[in-house]
Amino acid sequence: MGASSSSEQDEITEEEELEQQELESLAASTGALSILQKSFSNLSDPDTNSIPIPSLQECFRLTFKNSTSTMTSPLPECFSRLLTHLADENVGVHWIEFLRGYIRCCGRMSLSVSLNTVYKLYAGLSAKAGAPSKLEFESKDDDSKTSGNFTSDDVFMLLWMCWIMSWTSEISKHSKHPMDVGLPNINHLILSAVTSCVELSSDADVGKVNISDLNVQLPAEKLHAWALATVPNLAHCFTQYIHDRLQRCTVPEEPDSSHVSIVESSSTESHNTCLLSSGRAWAISLTLTSTVNKEILKTCVPKDSVGEFENLLYRSSVHGKVMNRFWSSVDGYHGPLLVLISACSIESCEGDSNPGRWIIGVLTDQGFENKDAFYGSSGYLYALSPIFHVCSPTGRDKNFVYSHLQPAGRGVYEPYPKPVGVAFGGAPGNERIFISQDFSTMTIRYHAVDKTYRPGSLFPNQGVLTYEASILEVEVWGLGGGKVKEQQDAYRKREELFTEQRRKVDLKTFGAWEDSPERMMMDMVSNPNKVHREDR
């Protein structure tokens, strides 16, 4: 459609024609012009050459079949009504208006402006749902600043809205049940936002704070700064949703493809006993703008059978809690890896049956290598539970990963042997995170020793002293995609073949034992005084 369709419209002025050319150029710069043309052609009425408002609303509408009874986090009653009005914001009719709406929502703009667009969308939807927010906007311009306050319920619904908008497009690619959406547990994200915007009481234990009891007002400026620094990819959720809906308009839809069923959060994660839950995976993906975030989101897809995780390479409770078992699982994987570690203080693990646990994560851009020095080109450290925080690379140093195995069969004496274990950040002998050889304990140091990753606490109430923790579980997830996993499988098969060949004994060599040099040397060692005759 596009320019050809505009020529068929009723008389248009020269000014409108110039505007149309400019809008089409902007849409082409985003790579979406062809999709816009096809979707406009399928949605528009041939008689009027415009899109009827009901058709456009039906394209963007999400009809909820709420089957949930209880949620990990309380679901506000107005939430389903809020997303039902999502289509009411899209009222473009003619081709030029259609382009204007797309450029306003998905055009090339800064992250700050994109986030303001999401805030405006939420403010408009919440007002129509009967629960108006306390957000204020300086003007109707897209780049206007947001002021006012968010409540904790506002942050919940804003994040859940973004989760559904982004995930309805991703889940349909990988699941046989594309519209069963479980709202994830995002308490760690809410705590991160609250603690960055307001000061809690000094005696408050962050790990035991009840989110539903929080009655705080979060200044919009501070929440905006938190989102830009912690979850910048949140700004792209609305864009993903619009692209997915427009793509659906270009192909025949299946019945009830716009229906979304909100299922109980606990039911979607009851079979997933792994450390990488849907909420934690989504939080990590919001910190990234690369293609790795899509691989992380694949772990949130409901599996057809219990315990089916294709990209879970290692789990200490299954494969064994020791360095050799860990290495046999990750060796040969040359792609991004996500390491998750659940731990608690040694004292609490020994004296309490239900100790306070916390989870940290490490994202590397490459596989592990057996080296006695640091290596790597990029990486991230994460505090995942009970509160979320990201430590991105500083660019000042490159001590991202250290992984060293126990030397096997080496007879050379080393006066200063390198430590055996896995480490991230810091410097040799002063690592920010160091995992022992038997994967039983972990040492965490204050971020002042680290020039590779940005500062930040990795667990609640982390002080400046070196901290010893007891490891409860370790997981490693491969995020390189199917090809990288196939390459690792081929590598492991070759290694198994070589090992099997080395075990086989060539019996022909034993036939010449009497005349072999080895036999002569053995005789000389056993009886050095014996006279050996040399055949001439």
Side-chain angles (χ1 to χ4, degrees):
M1 195 99 187
S4 61
S5 64
S6 61
S7 63
E8 298 173 2
Q9 296 180 5
D10 296 335
E11 297 180 1
I12 60 175
T13 64
E14 183 178 353
E15 181 180 355
E16 290 176 337
E17 185 176 358
L18 292 175
E19 180 185 8
Q20 175 180 319
Q21 293 177 358
E22 181 181 359
L23 291 173
E24 289 178 349
S25 177
L26 292 174
S29 66
T30 65
L33 181 59
S34 60
I35 295 178
L36 291 172
Q37 292 171 341
K38 292 179 182 178
S39 58
F40 183 85
S41 176
N42 293 341
L43 292 172
S44 61
D45 186 352
D47 297 332
T48 62
N49 197 33
S50 62
I51 303 178
I53 292 179
S55 298
L56 192 60
Q57 290 178 344
E58 185 64 26
C59 174
F60 288 93
R61 175 170 293 138
L62 291 176
T63 305
F64 285 87
K65 298 178 180 180
N66 195 344
S67 60
T68 183
S69 56
T70 59
M71 303 290 287
T72 303
S73 301
L75 180 67
E77 296 180 358
C78 62
F79 182 66
S80 59
R81 297 198 305 270
L82 182 145
L83 288 184
T84 301
H85 291 285
L86 185 61
D88 297 343
E89 294 295 315
N90 305 279
V91 294
V93 177
H94 296 289
W95 172 243
I96 294 181
E97 294 172 335
F98 189 61
L99 288 174
R100 284 178 192 159
Y102 176 81
I103 297 300
R104 180 183 177 187
C105 298
C106 306
R108 292 183 177 273
M109 62 187 76
S110 64
L111 287 176
S112 181
V113 175
S114 298
L115 280 172
N116 281 326
T117 302
V118 176
Y119 302 151
K120 286 184 178 181
L121 175 66
Y122 171 75
L125 297 181
S126 60
K128 293 180 180 180
S133 65
K134 296 182 180 180
L135 298 178
E136 299 175 358
F137 305 94
E138 293 181 356
S139 65
K140 294 183 179 180
D141 297 334
D142 295 335
D143 57 351
S144 64
K145 294 183 179 180
T146 305
S147 58
N149 296 300
F150 285 89
T151 65
S152 56
D153 284 344
D154 285 331
V155 181
F156 261 120
M157 290 192 291
L158 175 66
L159 292 177
W160 274 336
M161 180 187 74
C162 292
W163 160 264
I164 289 179
M165 287 194 302
S166 62
W167 191 232
T168 49
S169 60
E170 290 295 327
I171 198 173
S172 60
K173 301 176 185 177
H174 311 295
S175 175
K176 295 182 179 179
H177 311 287
M179 292 297 109
D180 288 342
V181 178
L183 297 179
N185 185 343
I186 56 174
N187 288 350
H188 56 305
L189 280 173
I190 303 299
L191 274 176
S192 178
V194 170
T195 55
S196 66
C197 297
V198 297
E199 291 185 4
L200 300 179
S201 59
S202 58
D203 57 346
D205 187 352
V206 176
K208 298 181 180 179
V209 171
N210 191 345
I211 301 297
S212 59
D213 294 338
L214 289 176
N215 187 16
V216 294
Q217 300 288 329
L218 309 182
E221 296 85 354
K222 291 186 177 181
L223 186 73
H224 185 70
W226 168 82
L228 287 175
T230 309
V231 287
N233 202 33
L234 191 69
H236 299 148
C237 295
F238 187 35
T239 303
Q240 294 175 2
Y241 174 76
I242 291 179
H243 284 167
D244 174 67
R245 291 287 136 176
L246 292 176
Q247 185 68 40
R248 289 174 181 271
C249 294
T250 62
V251 295
E253 291 195 36
E254 299 178 358
D256 297 333
S257 62
S258 63
H259 289 188
V260 174
S261 176
I262 302 180
V263 298
E264 187 176 351
S265 178
S266 60
S267 67
T268 59
E269 297 187 4
S270 60
H271 299 306
N272 183 6
T273 58
C274 296
L275 300 179
L276 189 61
S277 63
S278 298
R280 293 167 193 149
W282 186 54
I284 295 174
S285 71
L286 291 178
T287 66
L288 307 170
T289 56
S290 62
T291 56
V292 177
N293 61 357
K294 295 185 180 297
E295 294 294 329
I296 296 177
L297 286 177
K298 288 182 181 181
T299 63
C300 307
V301 179
K303 302 299 185 296
D304 297 328
S305 60
V306 178
E308 184 179 330
F309 301 101
E310 296 180 356
N311 46 1
L312 178 58
L313 302 180
Y314 170 77
R315 191 177 184 191
S316 59
S317 60
V318 176
H319 300 92
K321 199 173 181 181
V322 69
M323 184 73 171
N324 290 337
R325 296 295 182 87
F326 161 81
W327 195 261
S328 64
S329 300
V330 302
D331 190 21
Y333 192 93
H334 303 294
L337 292 171
L338 177 63
V339 183
L340 278 76
I341 308 165
S342 173
C344 65
S345 65
I346 296 178
E347 294 79 7
S348 62
C349 287
E350 293 176 352
D352 193 347
S353 59
N354 187 20
R357 303 183 180 185
W358 37 267
I359 301 174
I360 64 175
V362 183
L363 179 63
T364 70
D365 68 340
Q366 64 185 82
F368 287 103
E369 302 177 25
N370 184 14
K371 291 186 175 182
D372 58 1
F374 275 94
Y375 60 92
S377 58
S378 183
Y380 293 81
L381 299 183
Y382 295 96
L384 297 176
S385 177
I387 188 172
F388 182 80
H389 184 74
V390 55
C391 302
S392 56
T394 64
R396 298 170 57 191
D397 210 341
K398 294 186 177 181
N399 290 347
F400 291 100
V401 184
Y402 172 91
S403 53
H404 185 46
L405 285 173
Q406 179 70 40
R410 181 181 296 180
V412 180
Y413 170 73
E414 295 185 9
Y416 303 102
K418 301 295 184 179
V420 178
V422 181
F424 307 97
N430 208 22
E431 301 84 359
R432 186 167 181 179
I433 300 175
F434 185 85
I435 303 174
S436 63
Q437 178 180 355
D438 57 0
F439 275 42
S440 61
T441 59
M442 174 174 56
T443 303
I444 300 180
R445 293 181 174 87
Y446 189 59
H447 56 70
V449 305
D450 188 12
K451 296 181 181 180
T452 301
Y453 298 98
R454 296 189 183 277
S457 299
L458 297 178
F459 59 90
N461 303 321
Q462 180 183 358
V464 298
L465 300 178
T466 301
Y467 189 85
E468 298 289 338
S470 179
I471 296 178
L472 305 174
E473 181 77 284
V474 179
E475 291 178 1
V476 181
W477 295 77
L479 305 176
K483 290 185 178 179
V484 176
K485 188 64 172 66
E486 291 176 359
Q487 292 173 358
Q488 186 199 24
D489 293 339
Y491 169 81
R492 296 175 70 174
K493 288 181 179 179
R494 289 196 303 268
E495 289 297 314
E496 291 176 359
L497 180 61
F498 293 154
T499 302
E500 187 65 24
Q501 289 178 346
R502 286 192 293 266
R503 289 176 180 174
K504 292 182 179 180
V505 178
D506 188 1
L507 297 179
K508 295 181 179 180
T509 60
F510 286 90
W513 172 250
E514 295 294 336
D515 301 326
S516 65
E518 289 82 0
R519 169 64 185 276
M520 182 178 296
M521 293 185 65
M522 289 293 293
D523 290 343
M524 293 177 63
V525 172
S526 61
N527 189 1
N529 296 322
K530 181 180 179 181
V531 178
H532 294 273
R533 181 179 177 182
E534 181 180 357
D535 295 334
R536 295 184 182 273

